Amino acid sequence: MINLNFEIQVLAFKRYIKTGRFRGVSRVSRELCSAFARHPQVNLRYSACSSFFILDTFLEVQKELFLPKAPFLYDHLLEAITRKKRKEEIESYLEVLTINSWQMEQSDILFYPAPRYDFLSRSLIHTKKKQVILVHDLMINKFPEYYETHLAYHSRKLLMGMKELPLLITVSESTKYDLLEEIDYPEERVAVAPLAADSKRFYPQVKGNDKVYVKYGIPCKKYFFCLSPFTVLKNVRFLIESFLNLISQEGIDDLCLVLSGSQHSFDNTEAFDIFKIMEHPLAQKYIRITGAVDDEDLIHLYSQAIALVFPSLYEGFGLPPLESMQCGTPVISSNRSSLPEVVGDAGILLDPSDSDTWSEAMWTLYKDKNKRKEFSQKGVERAKNFSWDKTAQTITQEIQEYVL
């Protein structure tokens, strides 16, 4: 049995709690919590490394996100004691409440679902030998020109700190390769645990939901869907141009492109360029920018789309293509970084700089119902290779072999 402390800080952001819109690392964290709770060899406990994460916040997170019940081991003894008067109310939510920092030493592992700078200063409570980090991507290190200087500096410092850990886990072979290019670390101690899509949230739906079309102002029943923030590496501007070329050349008047993504991630320069393109009459008529979408609406937007179009220049894994395949929706994806590992031969993989091939692929799926059915079936089968229980099992096995 592994006593695993799950660092839950990433789930504490108010925008996640209030909107229920979980993407990327936050979605991974939530699903892994549940998978570890189901695992017969894991004794799950939560912890938070930041003093900004108070007990009240944890209670809100656990209640609103339906996280499995587990003890919360609190690092910040002084702040916890000042809130001791609320102990009875707190214990009504938790099976166990512990505010003694020394009990953290009883844990086998402190697990970070994403790299955090905090782990470098945690040695007073956890020796670095007990810490395990899930590495999602090396985006800042590979493309520092798109980030502020201090972010690149801290990311590099974080990587150097990882060299002291007994085990690193990545979400794809591509990310593992990128990691080993950046740091001198034993390859056998870098494990790959692919992510997954929740089968209870993402599954094929035959019938559309007209309320979703109205809610997001989608004028066409036929549409291509892209779930992505407006940043340079997501390559959304390229997609817009490819789509506009398609409808202009073929004279299509019943097809839309729906762009969804959190505005918290917008790259100001890239967003400005995209909105300039949106001034084009064809763009105004046939492209819809929805902003962030609610979790319960994603399944409808995926399922009713002709295809997901995902021209990203770099991904650590690529959850949207997997979620789309699990919904039975064909995928047209970039062939860069980790995306071939996710999509395999179940989708159309293209060079994300060749606009003509993207226009051609969209045209093929738009007009050919049989092709859509073929890729839909392939995608559903491909998605069966991924599950959160498999992810948790891989991580658990690697911890048992290299850490304990």
Side-chain angles (χ1 to χ4, degrees):
M1 180 68 69
I2 299 175
N3 293 318
L4 187 143
N5 275 15
F6 195 103
E7 167 53 54
I8 203 174
Q9 178 77 23
V10 71
L11 291 174
F13 296 111
K14 290 292 183 181
R15 71 172 182 264
Y16 295 148
I17 300 172
K18 291 181 178 180
T19 66
R21 295 166 180 161
F22 283 79
R23 304 293 181 266
V25 174
S26 60
R27 186 186 293 282
V28 171
S29 299
R30 185 175 63 177
E31 300 300 342
L32 271 180
C33 278
S34 298
F36 279 131
R38 293 190 297 267
H39 198 288
Q41 296 177 351
V42 173
N43 179 23
L44 177 67
R45 297 189 280 194
Y46 301 117
S47 68
C49 60
S50 172
S51 59
F52 293 104
F53 191 107
I54 58 176
L55 291 173
D56 305 65
T57 306
F58 172 71
L59 297 177
E60 187 176 7
V61 168
Q62 188 182 48
K63 183 179 179 181
E64 295 298 322
L65 306 186
F66 305 102
L67 296 181
K69 283 190 174 183
F72 181 65
L73 302 184
Y74 201 70
D75 275 4
H76 300 277
L77 183 59
L78 180 60
E79 186 175 354
I81 289 174
T82 64
R83 296 178 175 275
K84 194 171 181 180
K85 61 183 180 181
R86 302 219 26 224
K87 185 176 179 181
E88 289 185 4
E89 179 183 347
I90 290 168
E91 286 185 333
S92 68
Y93 290 96
L94 304 176
E95 292 179 345
V96 178
L97 171 68
T98 303
I99 61 173
N100 300 102
S101 295
W102 66 267
Q103 290 200 25
M104 295 288 284
E105 283 289 356
Q106 308 306 310
S107 299
D108 298 321
I109 292 295
L110 175 59
F111 178 78
Y112 287 85
R116 287 185 56 85
Y117 304 130
D118 316 73
F119 95 91
L120 294 172
S121 60
R122 292 295 293 278
S123 57
L124 289 178
I125 295 172
H126 273 273
T127 65
K128 290 186 175 65
K129 291 182 179 180
K130 288 189 173 184
Q131 299 181 58
V132 173
I133 293 180
L134 183 63
V135 182
H136 293 257
D137 61 64
L138 278 293
M139 194 173 295
I140 297 178
N141 304 87
K142 288 182 69 66
F143 304 97
E145 64 271 24
Y146 299 132
Y147 296 89
E148 295 180 14
T149 304
H150 75 279
L151 290 176
Y153 168 77
H154 285 297
S155 182
R156 187 65 189 168
K157 186 177 179 182
L158 181 60
L159 279 178
M160 293 303 100
M162 289 183 189
K163 293 170 66 175
E164 300 181 39
L165 303 185
L167 173 67
L168 295 174
I169 299 173
T170 66
V171 298
S172 66
E173 292 289 346
S174 175
T175 297
K176 176 178 178 177
Y177 176 83
D178 291 341
L179 180 63
L180 292 174
E181 273 198 327
E182 293 289 335
I183 61 174
D184 182 15
Y185 193 85
E187 182 177 355
E188 67 274 11
R189 289 184 174 271
V190 182
V192 176
L195 305 181
D198 184 0
S199 59
K200 294 181 180 179
R201 295 176 186 273
F202 301 105
Y203 52 88
Q205 284 206 336
V206 178
K207 190 176 180 181
N209 187 332
D210 290 338
K211 292 182 179 179
V212 173
Y213 294 118
V214 173
K215 181 177 179 178
Y216 295 105
I218 301 173
C220 312
K221 290 296 180 72
K222 297 177 181 178
Y223 64 91
F224 288 99
F225 181 55
C226 178
L227 180 64
S228 173
F230 289 179
T231 60
V232 173
L233 292 174
K234 295 300 183 181
N235 209 22
V236 176
R237 181 172 32 153
F238 163 85
L239 175 61
I240 292 174
E241 293 169 347
S242 300
F243 177 78
L244 291 178
N245 289 339
L246 169 64
I247 60 174
S248 176
Q249 292 173 5
E250 301 297 340
I252 302 172
D253 62 2
D254 64 344
L255 179 66
C256 292
L257 173 63
V258 178
L259 305 172
S260 298
S262 171
Q263 296 183 13
H264 289 284
S265 300
F266 277 13
D267 178 306
N268 290 334
T269 304
E270 184 71 3
F272 177 80
D273 291 341
I274 288 173
F275 286 121
K276 285 291 290 183
I277 297 174
M278 288 299 297
E279 295 175 2
H280 190 287
L282 282 179
Q284 291 182 1
K285 186 174 182 180
Y286 295 111
I287 298 177
R288 287 295 178 269
I289 298 175
T290 69
V293 297
D294 296 329
D295 264 17
E296 62 267 23
D297 296 333
L298 258 183
I299 182 175
H300 301 291
L301 292 171
Y302 277 137
S303 294
Q304 301 308 311
I306 291 176
L308 176 81
V309 277
F310 203 71
S312 178
L313 300 176
Y314 180 83
E315 293 290 323
F317 182 76
L319 280 174
L322 180 56
E323 292 168 350
S324 182
M325 289 190 298
Q326 197 159 287
C327 288
T329 300
V331 170
I332 304 174
S333 170
S334 162
N335 61 6
R336 300 276 180 89
S337 59
S338 62
L339 292 168
E341 296 178 50
V342 177
V343 178
D345 62 357
I348 301 174
L349 294 170
L350 301 173
D351 181 345
S353 64
D354 188 342
S355 181
D356 289 342
T357 61
W358 281 77
S359 297
E360 182 180 345
M362 286 188 280
W363 170 244
T364 297
L365 291 184
Y366 165 73
K367 68 179 182 178
D368 193 334
K369 185 177 181 179
N370 290 330
K371 276 290 182 185
R372 294 200 299 271
K373 184 177 180 180
E374 175 189 343
F375 281 113
S376 173
Q377 293 172 343
K378 284 184 175 181
V380 170
E381 287 302 310
R382 174 75 178 175
K384 291 177 182 178
N385 295 327
F386 302 84
S387 79
W388 288 114
D389 287 337
K390 284 184 179 180
T391 307
Q393 175 63 17
T394 298
I395 294 172
T396 302
Q397 286 179 342
E398 296 295 331
I399 288 174
Q400 288 173 328
E401 182 173 355
Y402 288 107
V403 184
L404 300 184

